[in-house]
Amino acid sequence: MRDFVFLEPRTMAEASGMLADHGDAARLLAGGTALVLLMRNRLASPSHVVYLGGVPDLDRIVIDDDGLRMGALATHAAIAAHPGIRARYPVIADTAGVVANPQIRNVATIGGNLCHGDPASDPPACLLALGARVRAVRGAAARDIALDDFFTDYYENALAPGEIVAEVFVPAPPPGARAAYTRFVTSAAESRPLVAVGVRLTLAGAACTEARIALGAVAPVPRRATRAETFLRGRTLTPDVVAEAASLAVADLDLVSDFRGSADYRRDVARVTVRRTLGRALGGAA
């Protein structure tokens, strides 16, 4: 690892100022589980590392009538164990509980996970299905970015220079909403999903009034399956309807092909995983 200057801001304004001062030569450090590996392998060689651990309240978790707010430094372990999240947003707790391994979950943060933009990660697909957004701050300015618009390419996002993610917000689900998340891994020893699917269905009686389906780990960025979502609206979710929606969900995807699985294999696995995840969400309704 190359030498670097370690900076410890005490406010978000100070942190964004440090980023602005040093430009592309500076990197933010939250939990460090991704950045330290990049630096050790010299895939990243920042001259300055800006550590956010000294900024107060960045790890807080707040639930109110509007929804769930998770500070950018909230760890996956804290999210998985939080009683309020387990009671009101169980799919988020369950997803956080399968990220990587216990050592990583106790250190890695939700903000760092989203900003790192690893395509083979669990939280993005789950949070995208739930309509989450991030709050980005720079000095005294702040803006909200929907996750639909946040991921732009492999390991790239929509943050402007000097912007820092302060929190992740998940709106309160509408009445009748049911959610599920499913990951497919190639072996028990694999901690990164080959396919990740998040689903939120809103039901009125037997009919689906809204559907959100997100797929991760299959393309450079997590994607919404908009054709399948449109197909499901207003329909009674019979097994045939669910199977057709699963086929539509993968029909237009530009899937990646790598050493972990070909594009054709991913398409087959993704179709089955979408169908099963829709079924799990419906099981929650039952």
Side-chain angles (χ1 to χ4, degrees), residues 78-102:
I79 293 168
H82 193 280
I85 297 178
R86 296 206 65 80
R88 297 178 61 175
Y89 299 87
V91 67
I92 296 178
D94 291 344
T95 302
V98 298
V99 171
N101 54 59

Side-chain angles (χ1 to χ4, degrees), residues 24-114:
D24 292 339
R27 295 290 293 267
L28 286 174
L29 175 67
T33 56
L35 180 60
V36 171
L37 287 176
L38 292 176
M39 292 172 67
R40 288 181 64 183
N41 288 285
R42 301 216 174 163
L43 297 172
S45 297
S47 64
H48 293 73
V49 171
V50 182
Y51 177 55
L52 294 176
V55 179
D57 298 328
L58 275 185
D59 61 349
R60 67 179 178 176
I61 296 173
V62 177
I63 301 175
D64 56 28
D65 291 340
D66 293 330
L68 164 67
R69 288 177 172 81
M70 299 178 287
L73 295 193
T75 65
H76 300 297
I79 293 168
H82 193 280
I85 297 178
R86 296 206 65 80
R88 297 178 61 175
Y89 299 87
V91 67
I92 296 178
D94 291 344
T95 302
V98 298
V99 171
N101 54 59
Q103 295 94 325
I104 296 295
R105 290 195 290 272
N106 277 293
V107 179
T109 65
I110 187 63
N113 177 277
L114 298 180

Side-chain angles (χ1 to χ4, degrees), residues 157-181:
N157 57 56
L159 291 175
E163 280 190 323
I164 303 171
V165 169
E167 72 173 21
V168 181
F169 175 72
V170 182
R178 298 292 185 271
Y181 172 77

Side-chain angles (χ1 to χ4, degrees), residues 133-201:
R133 59 181 185 263
V134 300
R135 168 145 289 202
V137 301
R138 178 172 55 183
R143 65 174 178 137
D144 291 335
I145 309 173
L147 278 196
D148 298 79
D149 305 317
F150 185 71
F151 305 103
T152 58
D153 206 340
Y154 277 111
Y155 301 100
E156 294 183 8
N157 57 56
L159 291 175
E163 280 190 323
I164 303 171
V165 169
E167 72 173 21
V168 181
F169 175 72
V170 182
R178 298 292 185 271
Y181 172 77
T182 306
R183 69 199 309 252
F184 176 85
V185 294
T186 53
S187 72
E190 177 65 76
S191 62
R192 291 155 55 88
L194 182 81
V195 171
V197 177
V199 163
R200 190 184 74 184
L201 300 173

